[in-house]
Amino acid sequence: MRIIGGIYRGHKLERVGKETTRETADMVRQAVFNMIQINTKTIVLDLFAGSGAYALEAISRGAKRAIAVDHDMDAIRVVRKNANTFG
């Protein structure tokens, strides 16, 4: 899985790797972001974040802030690790 647009395009993301966590295909994520407008005032809420791909994609595309929420501790660790690689 990778970031598909913005300043971090091509950046690889770590996966949670559990059967209870399903990834969103790059093509689907791209379609979602093509439909919405992201700007420097945008705040994104990524519920059931998994790896945090939606939140980090939004940051890459210029969002002001992104909040990733998940109930699985392994997913939370992966989101934090992925976010830390962005600085």
Side-chain angles (χ1 to χ4, degrees), residues 32-71:
V32 169
F33 279 95
N34 285 343
M35 288 187 277
I36 60 176
Q37 295 283 43
I38 298 288
N39 61 48
T40 57
K41 295 181 181 180
T42 303
I43 299 174
V44 173
L45 177 61
D46 183 0
L47 293 175
F48 308 103
S51 65
Y54 273 101
L56 297 171
E57 184 75 40
I59 293 294
S60 178
R61 292 174 182 247
K64 177 181 180 178
R65 182 182 302 165
I67 302 164
V69 178
D70 204 299
H71 69 283

